[in-house]
Amino acid sequence: MYSVLIPVDRDAARASNQARYVSRLPDATETVEATVLYVVPPDDFADADQVAFDEIDAAVRAAEHLDEAGISVTRRVDDGGVARQILRTATELDSDEIVVGGRKRSGVSKVLLGSTAQDVLLSADRPVTITGADVVLGEGIRRVLVPVDTSEERARNQAEYLSSLPNARESVEATVLFVFPHQDYKGAPPHEFEEVDAAVTAAEYLEAEGIPVERVAVGGEVGEKILDAATERDVDSIVMGGRKRSSITNVLLGSTTQDIMLTAERPVTLTG
C-alpha cells in the first residue's frame, strides 16, 4: 500500500485540497492508506489527549472527503513542535509521501509558505507535496511535469518518485523538461534535450518503468518556462528536485524551486 501522511491545520479549505489531491493519486481507492494528522501547537497549552479529532473542523473535512472517496483513513491527534511531530509521524508510519497545505496569500497578495510547511519541506527525508488553498486537479490520466536541472541525482530521485506512485505504468504520463537558462534570444544555440545527461537519465528511467514520456528542451527564464509548460499541458502536478545541501550542510531550496512552489496553480512535489 502507498502510505500518505496529511498534516492539517485549522484551515478547512487547505485541508480539503490536501484530501482532494490524495484522492486523485492513481488507484487511490485500492492502493492508498491515508493518515490525517492534527498536531496541537505548543501555544494552545493543551495535550493531545485533551483535544478530540472531531473538534477540528479542517481535520474532519479532510477525513470525510477521503472516506467518501473510499480511501482507508486513520485519524490522529498529537502534540508538540508541529513540524517536528509531523516528521516523527512520517518516520513512524514510513510514509511514502507527506501532503501539506501551506501555501497562502498575504494581505498584499503575495503567496507565502507558512513556517511549518517550510520546515517540513526542508527537513523531510521523503517526498513532500504542497497543495495550497486553491489548486487545479484534473480527472483521468495523471499528467505530471518533471522539470530537471543538471543534477543527475536529483533527476533520478524525481523519476523514482513518479514511478513509485500506485499503478504508475497505467495511470501516469510525464513531461521531462529542461530549460536552457536565458537562451531565448535570436541566434541562441539549438536546444537539444539529449545534450543534458540529467534530463536523459530521468526520461530513460521513466520509460524503463513503462511510463510514457514527452522530452522537451527550451530556452528562456527557467521559472517562467516551467509555469508555461505546466499551463500549456494542463498538468495535474509538478515534480521538482530542488532540495540540496550547502557547504555547511544546511538544506536549502533553490530560487527556481521556491518560485514554482509559491506561484504554481497546481500541486508541487519536492523530492530532493
Side-chain angles (χ1 to χ4, degrees), residues 33-45:
E33 293 178 341
T35 297
V36 177
L37 169 69
Y38 177 75
V39 180
V40 183
D43 55 8
D44 274 14
F45 302 106

Side-chain angles (χ1 to χ4, degrees), residues 47-114:
D47 297 327
D49 56 5
Q50 298 173 295
V51 178
F53 187 94
D54 289 345
E55 296 174 15
I56 311 300
D57 290 342
V60 171
R61 186 178 295 190
E64 287 181 346
H65 178 91
L66 294 164
D67 278 336
E68 291 168 4
I71 296 170
S72 173
V73 185
T74 299
R75 294 159 167 82
R76 179 164 174 167
V77 177
D78 286 322
D79 53 48
V82 179
R84 185 178 303 170
Q85 189 57 48
I86 290 169
L87 296 170
R88 284 176 177 166
T89 304
T91 299
E92 175 191 331
L93 300 176
D94 193 21
S95 302
D96 295 292
E97 184 172 346
I98 304 171
V99 177
V100 300
R103 272 191 303 224
K104 57 186 177 181
R105 291 191 178 274
S106 73
V108 291
S109 298
K110 292 182 178 179
V111 184
L112 305 170
L113 280 182

Side-chain angles (χ1 to χ4, degrees), residues 24 124 195 235:
R24 278 277 293 118
E195 294 177 7
V235 299

Side-chain angles (χ1 to χ4, degrees), residues 77-262:
V77 177
D78 286 322
D79 53 48
V82 179
R84 185 178 303 170
Q85 189 57 48
I86 290 169
L87 296 170
R88 284 176 177 166
T89 304
T91 299
E92 175 191 331
L93 300 176
D94 193 21
S95 302
D96 295 292
E97 184 172 346
I98 304 171
V99 177
V100 300
R103 272 191 303 224
K104 57 186 177 181
R105 291 191 178 274
S106 73
V108 291
S109 298
K110 292 182 178 179
V111 184
L112 305 170
L113 280 182
S115 59
T116 296
Q118 183 164 285
D119 287 348
V120 172
L121 282 167
L122 291 174
S123 303
D125 58 357
R126 63 200 72 231
V128 178
T129 296
I130 183 166
T131 58
D134 186 22
V135 296
V136 177
L137 292 171
E139 300 293 338
I141 293 292
R142 187 181 185 86
R143 296 180 297 276
V144 182
L145 181 64
V146 186
V148 300
D149 58 17
T150 57
S151 169
E152 287 190 69
E153 179 182 2
R154 283 196 291 271
R156 181 173 285 105
N157 287 340
Q158 289 166 266
E160 287 178 351
Y161 161 75
L162 201 54
S163 64
S164 76
L165 292 173
N167 199 24
R169 185 185 296 258
E170 288 77 22
S171 304
V172 173
E173 294 177 353
T175 296
V176 177
L177 171 70
F178 182 81
V179 182
F180 289 87
H182 309 298
Q183 292 188 13
D184 56 352
Y185 53 88
K186 184 177 180 179
H191 305 128
E192 300 293 343
F193 186 96
E194 303 301 327
E195 294 177 7
V196 184
D197 290 343
V200 172
T201 293
E204 290 184 346
Y205 187 100
L206 291 168
E207 288 167 345
E209 293 294 317
I211 296 172
V213 177
E214 177 190 21
R215 301 180 179 210
V216 179
V218 297
E221 196 283 317
V222 179
E224 178 182 310
K225 292 297 182 180
I226 292 171
L227 294 172
D228 286 348
T231 299
E232 290 165 4
R233 290 160 178 79
D234 193 23
V235 299
D236 295 291
S237 63
I238 303 172
V239 176
M240 304 290 294
R243 266 191 308 231
K244 56 186 177 182
R245 291 191 177 273
S246 73
S247 57
I248 55 174
T249 73
N250 289 331
V251 181
L252 305 170
L253 285 182
S255 60
T256 296
T257 300
Q258 184 164 277
D259 288 347
I260 297 302
M261 300 203 78
L262 290 173

